[in-house]
Amino acid sequence: MIPVTKPFLPPIEEYQKYLTGIWQRQWLTNMGPLASDLEIKLKQHLGLNHLLFVTNGTVALQMAIKALDLKGEIITTPFSFVATTSSIVWEGCQPIFVDIDKDSLNIDASKIEESITDKTTAILATHVYGNPCDVICIEKIAKKHNLKVIYDGAHAFGVKVNGKSLFEYGDISTCSLHATKLYHSGEGGLVITKDKEILKKLAFIRNFGFNGPEAFSELGLNGKNSEFHAAMGLTNFFHIQTIHEKRKELTEFYDARLKGLHAKKPIWHKEGTLNYAYYPIVFETEELMLACMEGLKGHEIYTRRYFYPSLANTLPYLEKKNFEITDDIASRVMCLPLYVNLSLEEVELICRLLLRIQNN
Ligand SMILES: *Cc1c(COP(=O)(O)O)cnc(C)c1O
């Protein structure tokens, strides 16, 4: 059986070393030494001044919306994981969807301005599959209309654009360190900001709003993460390079073997680096995509329609709306298996089957 993804697991002894320390210190959560160490290491690795390790990527989004005190309408993309939209609704704001660009599959920055009203307070965009949004254009629009910008960087760990971390863009960026993501801590997330005041606010929010043992300075929640998750993050931290190289090798192998397939990959940002988080392909027709999906399933190879359906016409708590490009792409897109333990032979088999199904 070949699943679409498998979580990376480091050698168990490496994780156990950290557990011994946890048992000795008897410090299990609440910004413990492993969580702090992980924050320092990730800042150095990503080239960032500030970041906070939090519960997960969804809480990271909720904290970001709260820290910027957003109200009213938030412009966002219908082509993302549900958490991007649900966080907006959860925080009492209204998502206003803007169609995506047919090449990058990110929010179409040229269509944002026509959706801005006097109730708009922010733009929340996803770097889909780790492919950077048009951050320069979005920044310009935000400045002109006095809007805040949040990036859902759940897929974007390690990506650089214009020579610096993609997480430096926007008022706040978030990341997910969930087990299915490229680099993970089991469950986990990051909030990133350049602004010291926002950082302070986020730190209070993460810890119930506490400012000292008996005082509060914010409305907070419990956004902390545990030493056990930090230990997983630290163990995996030392494998980031290996993870990257293995995924790069598999991706390039797919690219070479799938040249004859009637499908396209998203077009990557010209100044953006690749992190090989997913292997998405957009087939020429939905029919071919479905035939490939079914055909692979017959060999116990599982793919995923990631992202299908569009968030704008599926959520029971929102009015349904169709978008030409999003609906079209969502109907034809599929992600192929990609994980560190996938072998080149397995990729070879997947590619051979895909071409055979197409040519039948
Ligand atoms: C995974 C994901 C999230 C949520 O992250 P969790 O850590 O699972 O809460 C948010 N947005 C996108 C685009 C994701 O893929």
Side-chain angles (χ1 to χ4, degrees):
M1 199 269 277
I2 303 178
V4 67
T5 189
K6 261 190 202 176
F8 176 80
L9 277 171
I12 194 166
E13 313 76 56
E14 294 178 19
Y15 186 69
Q16 279 164 340
K17 239 181 29 206
Y18 285 107
L19 292 185
T20 308
I22 296 175
W23 255 254
Q24 281 163 353
R25 288 186 295 276
Q26 301 182 32
W27 188 349
L28 308 189
T29 185
N30 287 8
M31 286 79 75
L34 297 182
S36 304
D37 189 21
L38 181 63
E39 287 182 345
I40 291 165
K41 284 196 164 58
L42 289 176
K43 274 189 263 189
Q44 281 170 350
H45 176 78
L46 298 167
L48 297 166
N49 289 326
H50 312 295
L51 64 74
L52 297 175
F53 179 47
V54 301
T55 319
N56 57 55
T58 306
V59 161
L61 285 168
Q62 290 167 214
M63 288 173 61
I65 295 168
K66 192 65 89 191
L68 296 173
D69 201 18
L70 301 181
K71 305 271 185 292
E73 298 176 352
I74 299 180
I75 289 177
T76 190
T77 173
F79 192 70
S80 184
F81 182 62
V82 62
T84 315
T85 303
S86 64
S87 304
I88 295 173
V89 178
W90 197 264
E91 293 302 317
C93 299
Q94 191 188 350
I96 301 294
F97 294 111
V98 165
D99 208 357
I100 58 169
D101 175 79
K102 68 174 179 22
D103 296 322
S104 71
L105 312 192
N106 286 324
I107 194 167
D108 187 340
S110 74
K111 291 184 182 151
I112 289 177
E113 276 197 292
E114 62 201 47
S115 297
I116 294 174
T117 70
D118 54 6
K119 292 198 205 112
T120 311
T121 55
I123 300 164
L124 199 178
T126 302
H127 303 299
V128 177
Y129 311 125
N131 185 16
C133 288
D134 191 346
V135 287
I136 303 294
C137 181
I138 291 174
E139 194 168 286
K140 263 192 213 140
I141 296 166
K143 268 215 180 101
K144 183 171 156 199
H145 296 273
N146 196 23
L147 305 176
K148 301 290 184 195
V149 178
I150 299 172
Y151 286 113
D152 181 343
H155 301 171
F157 186 87
V159 172
K160 286 188 172 167
V161 69
N162 307 318
K164 59 179 183 179
S165 171
L166 181 54
F167 294 151
E168 286 212 26
Y169 290 88
D171 294 280
I172 301 179
S173 281
T174 65
C175 186
S176 166
L177 305 184
H178 183 258
T180 55
K181 303 307 206 253
L182 174 76
Y183 163 73
H184 76 87
S185 60
E187 289 274 4
L190 302 173
V191 280
I192 302 110
T193 181
K194 285 186 300 230
D195 186 308
K196 277 205 173 127
E197 286 308 306
I198 297 175
L199 179 81
K200 231 160 102 186
K201 218 164 153 179
L202 286 165
F204 286 134
I205 290 173
R206 176 172 68 171
N207 190 28
F208 308 101
F210 272 117
N211 184 4
E214 289 154 13
F216 299 91
S217 64
E218 295 290 335
L219 171 63
L221 47 67
N222 182 358
K224 296 177 275 97
N225 209 331
S226 79
E227 291 290 276
F228 299 92
H229 293 91
M232 183 58 97
L234 284 167
T235 313
N236 290 342
F237 181 82
F238 296 99
H239 296 275
I240 288 177
Q241 191 58 28
T242 321
I243 293 170
H244 182 84
E245 280 162 15
K246 189 68 207 287
R247 285 174 167 271
K248 179 172 193 274
E249 184 188 21
L250 293 165
T251 298
E252 289 171 354
F253 198 71
Y254 266 127
D255 287 348
R257 295 299 148 117
L258 289 179
K259 284 219 169 78
L261 192 69
H262 300 158
K264 284 195 303 200
K265 289 180 43 169
I267 295 181
W268 212 258
H269 191 295
K270 280 200 285 300
E271 305 294 331
T273 63
L274 296 147
N275 68 352
Y276 310 102
Y278 299 91
Y279 197 93
I281 43 176
V282 182
F283 287 84
E284 276 179 9
T285 63
E286 180 173 24
E287 199 187 354
L288 178 58
M289 191 277 297
L290 290 172
C292 286
M293 198 171 189
E294 279 309 304
L296 290 176
K297 211 188 269 173
H299 289 82
E300 294 200 308
I301 298 167
Y302 298 94
T303 57
R304 232 184 123 185
R305 302 183 79 178
Y306 201 45
F307 301 105
Y308 173 86
S310 154
L311 293 170
N313 60 23
T314 32
L315 300 175
Y317 43 86
L318 292 178
E319 244 175 74
K320 314 237 182 310
K321 202 169 166 192
N322 296 324
F323 287 94
E324 191 186 339
I325 303 191
T326 302
D327 295 348
D328 175 44
I329 297 284
S331 75
R332 297 187 283 128
V333 72
M334 168 208 279
C335 284
L336 294 177
L338 185 62
Y339 49 89
V340 169
N341 287 333
L342 186 68
S343 69
L344 291 179
E345 290 72 26
E346 287 170 319
V347 175
E348 172 84 51
L349 170 69
I350 294 166
C351 296
R352 222 168 346 108
L353 289 168
L354 284 171
L355 291 168
R356 194 194 300 163
I357 295 160
Q358 167 183 289
N359 297 330
N360 255 342

